[in-house]
Amino acid sequence: MTGKVIRWGLALLATILVALGSLGMLLQPYSFRGSLIDPPVPATDFTLVDQHHQPFRLSEQRGKVVVMAFGYTLCPDVCPATLAEFKQIRRLLGRQADQVQFVFITVDPERDTPTRLGEYMQAFDASFRGLSGDMTELERAWQGFGVYHEKQFLDSAAGYLVDHTARVYVVDVHGNLRLTFPFGTATQDMFEDIQYLARERI
Amino acid sequence: MNFWDHPLVRRIAISCVIGIAVALVISEGSYYLLNDGTRRDPQTIELIIPAGTAEQVAAGKSVPSLPTNMTFVEGDVLLVKNQDVTDHQLGPVWVPPDATGSLALGEVNRFRFGCSFQPGRYLGIDVRPAGSSLQSRLLALILIGPPTIALIVVYGILVVPLKPASATGTRPQSLPAPVVTLSETGAAVNDMIHHSPNGKTVL
C-alpha cells in the first residue's frame, strides 16, 4: 500500500516537474541570434529600381519583413555566399516565404545594370529583388544603413573590386530596422530570427 | 514492516546520499581546479559610444576606454549605446546614430571584427565558456549523480549481498506469522517430522 502511494506520488511529482519545465520554456522570451536594435529605429526610406525596372520603395514594403544585403554582381566571395544563404533561408521559410522580401542593393551602379542584376538574381532566386538606381537614392540607402564601399583597382581584366559592408539588415513588418547579422552568422540562426519576425503582424 | 525498513530501500537511500555527496565533490572540485579565474556568470556588458567619437577617430585619436581585444563569456549580452551622430560598429554590433544595439554572445569562439572607433579599425572578441552558473553546476550534478548512485548500489549488493528477510531475525509485518494448531494439522506436522536412524527427531 505504502509502495503504491510512493509510486503514485513520484509519478505525480514527475508530471508536475515536466509541466512546469514546459511552461517555463514557453514563457521564456525569444532570444535573437542576430544583433538586435532595441528599441527599433525607423529604417531609412529610399526608392530604387529593381531588375524588372520596377520601382522599389522600402516604406511600401510594410507588412513584410525585408532582408537586405549590399554588394555587387562581380563580387568574388561575400555576395554569392550571402545570396546562397538567402536562398536557403527562403527554402526553410516554406509558406512563410511570402512574408519576407529578400533584397540585394548594388554598391557598384556603374556595372550593375538592371539586366545584369536580373541575371544575377535569376542564378539564385527569381523572387529576390536586385536594386540599383540614381546616385542620390543609392547614396541615401548606403548612408542610411552605414554601408562602407571602396573601389580597389586591380591590374587585371576584372578592372576593380569593391570592398564593402558584408552585413545583412532586417527591416520588420512595421518598417523599423530591427536586426543586423554580421557576415558569418549561421544560416539557421538567421532563419530562426527572420521566421520569428515574419510572424509579427502590423 | 515499514517501507523504509526494507533493506533494499535503506540501501538505495544510503547510496543516494553517498552518490550525491561524491557527485558534489567531483563537480565542485573539478570546477575549482579548472577555473582559471576568467570564468563567471553571463552578464550584460554595456558600452556607451559618446558623442564626438567619430570626430576623434577621424583625427587619429584613440578612444581610451576601449581595449583592442575584449573577452566575454558564453551568454553575455553586449549592449552598445551609440550617442554619436553617425553609425558605429563595435565588432558584431552595428548601431545607427542615437540608438542601442545588442548581441547575445552564444558560442565559444574567437572573432576578429571591424570596429569603426578603433584607430586600427579592428576589434578582437574572445568568447569563453561561462563557468560558474548555478545551472551548469546543477547539470553537472545531475549528470554525475545518478550513475554514481547506480554504481554504489550495484557495488554494495555485490560486496555485501542482501540477506533474506528471515535471516535478519525479523519477519515482515505485512506477512502475518502463520498460526498452526496441532489439533488441526497434526497429521501434516507429523509428515514433516523425520525420524533419523540414531533416534533423534528433526524437522
Side-chain angles (χ1 to χ4, degrees):
Chain A
M1 181 66 185
T2 317
K4 201 174 177 182
V5 169
I6 288 174
R7 275 199 298 276
W8 276 106
L10 287 173
L12 187 66
L13 186 68
T15 311
I16 290 168
L17 286 173
V18 168
L20 284 175
S22 309
L23 191 68
M25 285 181 78
L26 282 173
L27 293 176
Q28 211 169 25
Y30 180 77
S31 175
F32 285 97
R33 273 74 163 183
S35 173
L36 183 69
I37 296 163
D38 189 24
V41 293
T44 303
D45 195 21
F46 57 79
T47 305
L48 294 169
V49 178
D50 73 5
Q51 67 268 39
H52 308 296
H53 301 273
Q54 296 299 310
F56 177 98
R57 187 170 182 184
L58 184 61
S59 58
E60 286 175 356
Q61 308 303 312
R62 284 189 189 166
K64 279 188 174 186
V65 173
V66 180
V67 183
M68 291 189 294
F70 292 81
Y72 64 113
T73 58
L74 291 173
C75 177
D77 40 34
V78 170
C79 302
T82 303
L83 287 172
E85 284 177 332
F86 281 8
K87 184 181 178 178
Q88 204 178 338
I89 292 165
R90 186 173 156 76
R91 188 181 54 78
L92 289 168
L93 283 166
R95 283 185 190 176
Q96 274 186 302
D98 292 342
Q99 304 294 316
V100 181
Q101 180 63 62
F102 293 90
V103 171
F104 181 79
I105 301 172
T106 186
V107 291
D108 185 16
E110 291 168 34
R111 296 185 293 189
D112 287 344
T113 59
T115 310
R116 192 168 195 154
L117 280 165
E119 288 166 1
Y120 196 58
M121 294 301 110
Q122 191 72 38
F124 294 96
D125 192 303
S127 74
F128 293 174
R129 295 181 80 174
L131 306 182
S132 188
D134 67 57
M135 281 306 290
T136 314
E137 285 298 305
L138 276 171
E139 287 285 359
R140 186 205 297 268
W142 295 335
Q143 205 173 345
F145 294 93
V147 175
Y148 157 83
H149 59 101
E150 190 176 330
K151 286 179 184 172
Q152 299 291 336
F153 288 93
L154 304 168
D155 192 17
S156 75
Y160 62 88
L161 296 177
V162 185
D163 283 351
H164 64 90
T165 301
R167 187 171 291 274
V168 171
Y169 302 81
V170 183
V171 176
D172 68 12
V173 294
H174 306 284
N176 291 322
L177 179 57
R178 187 81 169 270
L179 270 179
T180 68
F181 297 111
F183 182 71
T185 304
T187 308
Q188 183 67 26
D189 288 348
M190 288 199 276
F191 157 67
E192 285 175 20
D193 283 359
I194 292 166
Q195 186 187 42
Y196 180 84
L197 290 180
R199 287 193 194 120
E200 291 182 345
R201 293 286 172 268
I202 293 180
Chain B
M1 185 191 193
N2 191 305
F3 177 78
W4 294 106
D5 287 341
H6 195 286
L8 184 62
V9 173
R10 284 169 61 184
R11 192 170 285 203
I12 290 173
I14 292 165
S15 301
C16 281
V17 173
I18 297 170
I20 289 168
V22 169
L24 201 65
V25 169
I26 292 171
S27 68
E28 290 298 297
S30 309
Y31 166 70
Y32 283 106
L33 283 174
L34 294 173
N35 192 353
D36 56 4
T38 58
R39 297 188 178 197
R40 54 170 175 75
D41 284 325
Q43 59 190 43
T44 298
I45 292 131
E46 189 177 306
L47 291 164
I48 295 173
I49 304 171
T53 303
E55 279 181 24
Q56 271 189 293
V57 175
K61 294 176 187 169
S62 176
V63 182
S65 58
L66 197 68
T68 49
N69 279 293
M70 298 173 81
T71 303
F72 298 93
V73 301
E74 203 177 1
D76 272 350
V77 175
L78 176 60
L79 190 90
V80 183
K81 285 186 177 177
N82 183 7
Q83 296 174 342
D84 208 357
V85 291
T86 180
D87 59 272
H88 278 287
Q89 181 182 335
L90 192 151
V93 184
W94 174 80
V95 199
D98 202 23
T100 302
S102 67
L103 180 74
L105 298 160
E107 283 180 20
V108 176
N109 212 332
R110 274 188 179 178
F111 303 98
R112 193 164 156 79
F113 288 106
C115 180
S116 61
F117 53 96
Q118 289 283 23
R121 295 280 171 185
Y122 279 97
L123 174 76
I125 285 185
D126 191 2
V127 183
R128 296 186 179 180
S132 61
S133 76
L134 184 64
Q135 199 180 1
S136 63
R137 286 156 82 178
L138 276 175
L139 182 68
L141 197 62
I142 290 164
L143 289 174
I144 300 169
T148 312
I149 292 165
L151 198 70
I152 291 170
V153 170
V154 173
Y155 181 76
I157 289 171
L158 287 174
V159 173
V160 188
L162 285 171
K163 291 177 185 170
S166 57
T168 61
T170 57
R171 184 180 287 277
Q173 287 177 357
S174 55
L175 299 173
V179 178
V180 179
T181 53
L182 193 60
S183 59
E184 291 169 359
T185 57
V189 171
N190 198 41
D191 289 344
M192 293 164 71
I193 297 172
H194 299 275
H195 299 281
S196 66
N198 59 8
K200 290 182 180 174
T201 302
V202 291
L203 274 174

